[in-house]
Amino acid sequence: MTIEIIGTGRALPPRRVSNGELAERIDTSDAWIRSHTGIAARRIAGEETAASDLGIAAAREALNLALERNRMAEQTPEDLARTLDLIVLGSTTQDYYGCPATSCLIQRELGAKKAAALDITMACSSFIYGLETAAALLKADPRRRRALVIGAEVLTRIVNWEDRGSCVLFGDGAGAVLLEKTGPENRAGPDGEPGILRTILGADGSGWEHLIIRRGGSRHPLKKGEDAVPEVSMNGRAVYTFAVAAITGVIRRMMEEERILPEDLALIVPHQANARIVQAAAKRLGMPEEKFYLNIEEYANTSSASIPIALDELNRSGRLKRGNLIITVGFGAGLTYGGNLIRW
Ligand code: COA
C-alpha cells in the first residue's frame, strides 16, 4: 500500500510587494533584505482575504490537476471533492481564533461532505506534520482513500510591522496536495513505487520562546478595551542556529537510515525561511546548493504553505518527474522540525 501525491495546487494573492516598496514604509533596504535572506518580494493578501480563501483556491487547483493528469472516474473537481475522506490544514493564521477549525470552512466550501477535517498548528513544520498525519490516517482504515493536505497563511496580518528584523521575512499564500492510497499493482515509478516513503518528525520545546505570538492565548488573553494585537515576535539568531542544525540533522539522518546517496536525490525541497539558512545547511552537508529548490526570492516565508507551493511549481513545470526521489525538510516555531522522503 502506498500513499501517493496525485495532484498539487497553489494560490498566491495578486499583490506583489517588493523590498523597495517595503522600504518606503519601514526602515530597511532592498540590499539588506536580499543579502541577509535572499528575499526580493512577497505577496500580501487583500483585507477581505483570510487563510481559508487561499486554502480553498489552492485545493481546487490540486483537484483540477489530479483530474487532468490521472485517469479518474470523477468528472469534475466537485465530484472529486465528494470522495475526500480527510482534509488536513496547516496554518498559523486560521480564520478564527480557537474555533471553528479552518479546515471545516474549507470542507464546507469544497462540498467535501464525507471528509473529516483537522487543523495542524505546528507553525512552519505544519505541512510536514500534516502529510504524515494524513498518510497515517489513510493507512489506518481501509475505507479511507483520499485526503487533501493544505498549507494556507496570511502571515502579513500577524507580523509586527514595527519590527524590521521579522516583518520583512514573511508573505501570504497557500499550497495543497491531493493524496490517494493506491495498491502496489498501480503506477510504479522507474525505481520503485511512488509515494510518501518515510517521515521524520521532531520537536524541541525548550526553544518555545524563540518564535511566539505572545498575546491572545489563555496565558495572556486579550482583555476588553485593550488595543494590543496578537503579533509574531522572534529571536532571529536563535532560530537561525536551530534551523541550520535541524535541516542538516533531518537530511543526514534520512539519508543514512534509508541508505540514500546524494546522487539518488533529484531535489531537496526545504521550507523557505531564509536562503542563507539553506546555503549554510548545504555547505555543512557537503551538497551542492543546486540540490535545494529555492523560490523564497519571490514569495518570502509563507510558513506552512512554502513546501506545497514549491511542490506545485516543480510538478507543473515538469521539473519533478515520476520516479524522482525528493526530501522535504522544514522547521518552525515550537520549536519543531521534520522531513518527508517522497518518490514522485
Ligand atoms: N533592514 C535593515 N537592517 C536590519 C533589518 C532590516 N529589515 N533587520 C535587522 N537589521 C539590522 C539590525 O538592527 C542590526 O543592526 P545593528 O547591528 O546596528 O544593531 C543588524 O541588522 C543585524 O541584525 P541581526 O538581527 O543580528 O541580523 P542577522 O544577521 O541575525 O539576520 C535574520 C537577521 C532575521 C535575517 C536572521 O537572524 C534569520 O534569518 N533568522 C531566522 C529567522 C527565521 O527563519 N524565522 C522563521 C522560522 S520558520
Side-chain angles (χ1 to χ4, degrees):
M1 182 203 303
T2 58
I3 309 296
E4 208 183 317
I5 295 175
I6 62 160
T8 59
R10 67 181 189 272
L12 279 313
R15 182 153 177 251
R16 180 182 186 274
V17 176
S18 67
N19 292 341
E21 196 180 327
L22 219 53
E24 289 166 16
R25 288 187 280 146
I26 296 160
D27 181 17
T28 187
S29 66
D30 179 47
W32 191 96
I33 301 173
R34 273 182 199 268
S35 63
H36 284 72
T37 69
I39 295 166
R42 74 283 298 137
R43 300 298 175 89
I44 297 189
E47 267 174 38
E48 72 294 344
T49 302
S52 71
D53 300 314
L54 295 174
I56 289 159
R60 288 206 169 108
E61 291 294 313
L63 295 169
N64 274 318
L65 195 69
L67 286 169
E68 237 175 84
R69 293 215 177 153
N70 303 279
R71 233 180 290 129
M72 302 185 96
E74 293 76 17
Q75 301 291 316
T76 65
E78 293 74 26
D79 289 345
L80 192 49
R82 278 191 286 274
T83 71
L84 291 172
D85 300 290
L86 178 67
I87 296 173
V88 175
L89 171 77
S91 184
T92 313
T93 48
Q94 292 103 321
D95 287 22
Y96 297 98
Y97 170 72
C99 64
T102 302
S103 51
C104 291
L105 307 176
I106 295 177
Q107 186 252 12
R108 169 186 161 270
E109 194 58 31
L110 293 178
K113 288 201 172 121
K114 75 168 175 134
L118 175 66
D119 278 18
I120 294 210
T121 57
M122 304 314 291
C124 303
S125 304
S126 293
F127 182 77
I128 287 165
Y129 269 73
L131 207 57
E132 176 68 351
T133 304
L137 286 170
L138 289 180
K139 282 183 185 159
D141 187 332
R143 282 158 292 225
R144 297 192 194 117
R145 185 164 166 234
R146 288 181 182 147
L148 266 175
V149 183
I150 305 165
E153 304 282 8
V154 188
L155 291 159
T156 60
R157 205 148 292 151
I158 59 158
V159 297
N160 176 357
W161 287 105
E162 278 157 24
D163 174 16
R164 66 178 183 169
S166 63
C167 70
V168 300
L169 303 177
F170 297 101
D172 303 334
V177 301
L178 177 61
L179 300 183
E180 186 174 75
K181 185 163 64 183
T182 53
E185 72 281 4
N186 295 341
R187 311 159 54 83
D191 299 306
E193 281 173 29
I196 299 158
L197 307 179
R198 163 90 197 273
T199 294
I200 291 173
L201 298 176
D204 176 5
S206 68
W208 66 279
E209 261 196 306
H210 292 324
L211 189 46
I212 186 167
I213 301 169
R214 287 188 190 280
R215 309 297 303 275
S218 59
R219 181 70 62 194
H220 300 294
L222 296 180
K223 300 205 176 87
K224 265 193 187 153
E226 258 185 334
D227 60 2
V229 286
E231 280 171 345
V232 172
S233 73
M234 182 181 76
N235 176 347
R237 279 286 161 96
V239 175
Y240 186 99
T241 307
F242 169 80
V244 175
I247 294 189
T248 312
V250 168
I251 295 172
R252 196 170 274 151
R253 193 176 141 201
M254 190 77 92
M255 291 178 68
E256 276 172 17
E257 291 179 1
E258 300 301 320
R259 296 169 197 268
I260 294 164
L261 299 171
E263 55 268 32
D264 299 331
L265 283 173
L267 267 181
I268 294 171
V269 183
H271 167 48
Q272 311 281 317
N274 183 333
R276 301 286 161 270
I277 291 175
V278 174
Q279 284 152 0
K283 199 167 163 199
R284 279 204 200 175
L285 289 160
M287 289 170 86
E289 280 174 30
E290 302 75 59
K291 267 275 187 235
F292 294 76
Y293 182 69
L294 282 174
N295 62 10
I296 188 171
E297 188 176 1
E298 191 54 28
Y299 303 131
N301 179 349
T302 56
S303 192
S304 59
S306 85
I307 291 174
I309 289 173
L311 290 179
D312 185 54
E313 285 187 339
L314 291 163
N315 188 25
R316 281 173 198 261
S317 68
R319 201 164 153 201
L320 269 183
K321 295 182 182 65
R322 172 154 299 281
N324 281 172
L325 197 60
I326 64 167
I327 293 176
T328 65
V329 62
F331 54 89
L335 298 167
T336 54
Y337 58 93
N340 316 104
L341 178 67
I342 303 170
R343 189 175 296 284
W344 205 253

